[in-house]
């Protein structure tokens, strides 16, 4: 299939069009799906973040409320602080919430007098921040490592150091005097567990993770990120979802919420929930793959269809082109029939067939006309050649005598002189003039004179060789050019001619004579005319010296 063929073009255009439409459609769907999915994933992330933040807020408020209620309880306001009842109350409260690590009561001077599991009892906590703050009001302390408790509870859990959040509140006696400070330490694990429960198993499998950012801009959770994961410069606004470039980690769909617990003091925590964009948009990749496969097969099918369609259209054209080529190569009986149900092709085939028939008729007519013309040309050419030959003949013949005329004699002389110049043998020129011809005319009439001229011409013509030339040079003057003839021989021939004329009896006239001048060509002669001039001079000398004689040109006549 040629690249410029109808088939290739149609397949190319059709395939290209389908490819273009597929690409545009795929890009459009990709964009639409990405947007829709980004929004959906963003909403899901926001939902997770929102519920996790709410749980954190409620838990913080709950713990603070519990500590506050405990500080205001009748028991702590009135009972002995180191009594069993107080001890039991603390244990009961601790048992209600598994993340309580420690609940204790310290006197205003900082001595722990009651505590769950009797931990830290007798120790002085007056330097602890929770104690100092708890002396004056409700206190909520940010996450920290507990120095004393850590020693009692063990250093680490699951590779992480023990971290706590502190709640404290003052206990006032009935007379409103400060009686003690009650405090609880909540294990940081509760944050981890809340976040774990907020993130569903499905979300976790899609790499959704929640992070807690502290007020000072450092990660509080997960522990592995503390001091290791850089906080991106462009986190989304609070409550917004955005695609964020995380340093060294790539692009994440990210949302951020503030944890507003409405507690006595705000911790300033922010909850960040993120998901790698590749996971968030994974369904788009799947969709793209399916679209690609769909496009590929659509393209393949389209190309096959286009090829079949093009074949259907191009086949009749190719047949017609083949037929036309056969005509170009000289074929005569070419068939233009095409097997097509399409009206246009049937019409074209019919028209071409009719055109061929007409062309064949025209061609035959043309060939006949041509043959006739060629015959006419042959006939005309032959006529022309004959006419030319006759004309040539006439132009070199003397009308009266039928022998050569002066022009023919001059041409022969020229040729002979050129041959002499090229080294051929010398030639001789003889000028012959009938003596007293005027008297012939006068005495016997002009017609008789003509007959004498004709007779002399015949006599001369019959007396010389075929290679020589006899011509009528003027009225009653003749010239004879003798090829390759020496002076002696020329004189001899001239004498023979003179004698023959003198011996012949002319019709109605009787005897006549002629004078002959002979000249031999010389290599020094510039042209034949010089030789003729010498012959003429010799002829006149013959006339002067008595007529009916031959005079060979001597040097005096040169
Ligand atoms: N019948 C006839 N006469 C011719 C022709 N051509 C020339 N003549 C005549 O030939 C004569 C030539 O005469 P001239 O030249 O005087 O010389 P001539 O009488 O021959 O005398 P010489 O030449 O001196 O012997 C003239 O009277 C011309 O009219 C021709 O074709 N036919």
């Amino acid at each position: 299939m040629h690249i410029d063929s109808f088939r290739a073009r149609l397949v190319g255009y059709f395939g290209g069009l389908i490819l273009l439409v597929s690409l545009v459609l795929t890009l459009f769907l990709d964009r639409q799906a990405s947007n829709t999915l980004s929004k959906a994933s963003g909403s899901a992330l926001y939902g997770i973040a929102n519920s996790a933040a709410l749980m954190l807020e409620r838990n913080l408020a709950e713990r603070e409320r519990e500590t506050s209620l405990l500080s205001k309880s009748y028991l702590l306001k009135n009972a002995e602080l180191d009594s069993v009842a107080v001890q039991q109350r603390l244990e009961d409260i601790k048992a209600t919430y598994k993340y309580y690590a420690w609940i204790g009561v310290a006197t205003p001077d900082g001595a722990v007098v009651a505590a769950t599991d009797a931990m830290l009892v007798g120790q002085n906590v007056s330097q602890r921040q929770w104690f100092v703050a708890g002396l004056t009001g409700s206190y909520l302390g940010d996450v920290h490592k507990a120095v004393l408790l850590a020693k009692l509870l063990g250093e680490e859990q699951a590779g992480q150091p023990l971290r706590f959040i502190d709640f404290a509140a003052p206990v006032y006696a009935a007379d409103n005097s400060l009686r003690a400070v009650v405090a609880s330490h909540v294990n940081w694990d509760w944050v981890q567990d809340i976040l774990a429960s907020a993130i569903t198993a499905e979300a976790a499998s899609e790499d959704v993770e929640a992070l807690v950012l502290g007020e000072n801009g450092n990660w509080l959770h997960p522990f592995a990120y503390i001091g290791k994961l850089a906080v991106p410069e462009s986190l989304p606004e609070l409550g917004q979802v955005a695609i964020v470039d995380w340093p060294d980690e790539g692009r994440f769909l990210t949302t951020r919420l503030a944890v507003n617990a409405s507690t006595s003091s705000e911790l300033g925590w922010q909850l960040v929930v993120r998901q790698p964009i590749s996971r968030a948009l994974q369904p788009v990749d799947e969709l793209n793959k399916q679209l690609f496969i769909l496009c590929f097969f659509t393209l393949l099918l389209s190309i096959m269809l286009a090829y079949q369609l093009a074949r259907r259209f191009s086949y009749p054209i190719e047949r017609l082109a083949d037929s036309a080529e056969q005509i170009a190569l000289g074929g005569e009986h070419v068939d233009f029939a095409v097997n097509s149900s399409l009206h246009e092709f049937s019409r074209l085939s019919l028209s071409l067939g009719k055109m061929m028939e007409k062309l064949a008729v025209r061609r035959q007519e043309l060939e006949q006309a041509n043959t006739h013309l060629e015959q006419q040309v042959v006939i005309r050419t032959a006529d022309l050649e004959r006419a030319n030959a006759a004309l040539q003949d006439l132009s070199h013949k003397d009308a009266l005598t039928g022998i050569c005329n002066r022009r023919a004699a001059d041409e022969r002389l020229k040729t002979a002189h050129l041959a002499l110049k090229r080294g051929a043998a010398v030639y001789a020129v003889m000028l012959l003039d009938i003596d007293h011809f005027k008297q012939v005319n006068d005495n016997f009439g002009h017609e008789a004179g003509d007959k004498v001229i004709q007779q002399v011409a015949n006599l001369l013509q019959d007396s010389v060789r075929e290679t020589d030339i006899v011509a009528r040079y003027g009225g009653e003057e003749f010239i004879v050019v003798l090829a390759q003839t020496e002076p002696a021989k020329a004189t001899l021939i001239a004498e023979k001619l003179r004698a023959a004329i003198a011996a012949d009896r002319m019709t109605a006239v009787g005897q006549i004579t002629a004078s002959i001048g002979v000249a031999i060509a010389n290599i020094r002669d510039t042209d034949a005319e010089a030789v003729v001039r010498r012959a003429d001079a010799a002829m006149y000398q013959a006339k002067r010296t008595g007529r009916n004689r031959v005079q060979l040109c001597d040097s005096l006549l040169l």
Side-chain angles (χ1 to χ4, degrees):
M1 185 167 61
H2 197 274
I3 191 80
D4 288 333
S5 68
F6 180 66
R7 282 188 217 186
R9 285 282 166 94
L10 199 66
V11 168
Y13 292 147
F14 212 63
L17 187 68
I18 296 293
L19 189 66
L20 194 70
V21 170
S22 303
L23 279 175
V24 170
L25 206 65
T26 306
L27 281 175
F28 176 73
L29 287 177
D30 178 80
R31 180 69 58 89
Q32 286 294 99
S34 297
N35 283 343
T36 310
L37 209 68
S38 289
K39 278 182 191 159
S41 300
S43 296
L45 284 193
Y46 181 80
I48 289 169
N50 199 35
S51 70
L54 265 176
M55 281 196 268
L56 284 175
E57 287 164 4
R58 277 187 197 153
N59 265 273
L60 285 168
E62 189 69 17
R63 297 291 82 72
E64 188 180 61
R65 197 171 63 86
E66 275 176 358
T67 310
S68 175
L69 282 175
L70 185 62
S71 72
K72 289 173 183 148
S73 68
Y74 180 83
L75 187 67
L76 257 69
K77 278 178 175 282
N78 299 293
E80 287 298 321
L81 292 175
D82 56 354
S83 66
V84 175
V86 170
Q87 171 74 30
Q88 190 54 49
R89 183 64 178 275
L90 297 182
E91 295 290 357
D92 289 345
I93 293 173
K94 181 174 180 274
T96 60
Y97 190 64
K98 71 170 182 175
Y99 299 105
Y100 275 131
W102 180 84
I103 304 174
V105 180
T107 55
D109 59 357
V112 178
V113 288
T116 52
D117 303 322
M119 238 183 268
L120 303 179
V121 173
Q123 302 244 15
N124 191 299
V125 292
S126 60
Q127 299 303 310
R128 297 284 164 263
Q129 195 178 352
W130 58 263
F131 177 79
V132 176
L135 286 172
T136 52
S138 271
Y139 167 77
L140 168 58
D142 209 345
V143 62
H144 66 95
K145 290 181 192 171
V147 184
L148 296 173
L149 271 180
K151 281 182 191 159
L152 296 169
L153 294 171
E155 274 297 316
E156 286 191 352
Q157 271 182 359
Q160 297 183 20
L162 280 175
R163 289 185 296 161
F164 303 98
I165 295 176
D166 301 339
F167 299 87
V171 180
Y172 294 104
D175 60 357
N176 228 10
S177 61
L178 183 67
R179 199 164 180 247
V181 173
V182 64
S184 61
H185 293 332
V186 178
N187 195 322
W188 181 252
D189 284 353
W190 70 268
V191 172
Q192 284 176 198
D193 289 353
I194 281 174
L195 295 181
S197 67
I199 295 173
T200 60
E202 191 189 348
S205 72
E206 287 173 2
D207 295 341
V208 174
E209 61 178 341
L211 300 85
V212 180
L213 193 63
E215 194 172 22
N216 56 3
N218 293 323
W219 296 117
L220 300 179
H221 171 80
F223 181 75
Y225 289 168
I226 297 173
K228 289 181 181 143
L229 178 68
V231 179
E233 282 177 13
S234 56
L235 277 174
E237 294 292 316
L238 290 171
Q240 300 295 314
V241 182
I243 295 170
V244 174
D245 273 320
W246 287 69
D248 305 326
E249 293 213 317
R251 301 172 78 219
F252 284 71
L253 197 61
T254 310
T255 186
R256 181 165 64 132
L257 281 180
V259 179
N260 297 316
S262 305
T263 46
S264 55
S265 54
E266 279 300 335
L267 293 174
W269 291 358
Q270 287 179 14
L271 190 66
V272 177
V273 179
R274 66 176 191 168
Q275 183 184 24
I277 197 74
S278 56
R279 293 305 306 269
L281 298 183
Q282 198 172 15
V284 178
D285 286 344
E286 290 296 323
L287 180 71
N288 281 345
K289 269 183 207 158
Q290 284 168 6
L291 277 175
F292 175 77
I293 292 169
L294 189 70
C295 285
F296 178 75
F297 283 109
T298 308
L299 190 67
L300 208 64
L301 199 69
S302 307
I303 286 174
M304 281 161 67
L305 272 175
Y307 183 80
Q308 285 304 327
L309 205 64
R311 195 162 172 265
R312 203 167 158 216
F313 287 138
S314 69
Y315 181 70
I317 297 174
E318 284 166 13
R319 277 294 320 272
L320 292 174
D322 288 346
S323 302
E325 267 172 26
Q326 281 180 36
I327 291 173
L329 291 170
E332 285 183 3
H333 305 291
V334 178
D335 185 13
F336 275 101
V338 291
N339 185 20
S340 172
S341 58
L342 294 172
H343 171 68
E344 287 83 353
F345 289 125
S346 312
R347 204 175 134 203
L348 183 63
S349 154
L350 210 65
S351 303
L352 285 172
K354 280 183 186 166
M355 189 185 80
M356 270 313 292
E357 281 171 20
K358 282 211 166 175
L359 279 177
V361 172
R362 291 272 159 80
R363 186 175 172 177
Q364 211 172 1
E365 287 173 359
L366 211 63
E367 278 174 0
Q368 283 171 357
N370 203 30
T371 313
H372 179 69
L373 209 64
E374 279 174 2
Q375 287 169 354
Q376 289 292 313
V377 168
V378 171
I379 293 167
R380 293 278 185 279
T381 308
D383 287 350
L384 202 63
E385 281 172 355
R386 273 197 297 277
N388 274 341
L391 209 63
Q392 178 80 1
D393 219 29
L394 277 177
S395 69
H396 288 81
K397 284 275 164 64
D398 177 56
L400 179 65
T401 60
I403 64 170
C404 290
N405 60 13
R406 183 168 182 155
R407 174 189 289 189
D410 284 343
E411 284 177 12
R412 179 61 72 88
L413 275 167
K414 210 171 182 178
T415 310
H417 201 76
L418 279 173
L420 174 70
K421 290 276 183 191
R422 285 198 293 265
V426 292
Y427 63 93
V429 174
M430 207 183 275
L431 273 178
L432 182 150
D433 191 273
I434 302 172
D435 296 332
H436 302 301
F437 192 67
K438 187 173 180 306
Q439 287 174 15
V440 173
N441 274 339
D442 291 348
N443 296 336
F444 303 100
H446 201 268
E447 256 183 57
D450 283 351
K451 284 225 165 57
V452 170
I453 291 172
Q454 285 169 339
Q455 255 182 292
V456 171
N458 289 340
L459 192 147
L460 291 174
Q461 188 68 64
D462 293 343
S463 306
V464 297
R465 297 171 298 185
E466 273 188 15
T467 49
D468 301 333
I469 181 174
V470 175
R472 189 177 171 209
Y473 210 56
E476 84 292 10
E477 190 177 18
F478 296 88
I479 187 167
V480 181
V481 181
L482 302 167
Q484 300 178 1
T485 305
E486 295 298 319
K489 182 94 182 282
T491 312
L492 209 64
I493 294 168
E495 186 56 40
K496 194 179 92 182
L497 290 175
R498 184 206 59 77
I501 291 167
D504 201 7
R505 292 202 60 81
M506 301 292 156
T507 315
V509 176
Q511 189 195 19
I512 60 156
T513 60
S515 300
I516 302 173
V518 180
I520 307 298
N522 192 304
I523 193 80
R524 290 192 304 277
D525 289 318
T526 51
D527 50 28
E529 282 170 29
V531 188
V532 174
R533 275 198 299 275
R534 285 208 304 278
D536 194 46
M539 192 267 289
Y540 277 102
Q541 195 182 0
K543 289 269 185 190
R544 280 197 302 274
T545 53
R547 295 186 172 81
N548 190 22
R549 59 184 302 269
V550 173
Q551 177 63 53
L552 179 67
C553 168
D554 57 26
S555 57
L556 288 173
L557 297 170
L558 285 173

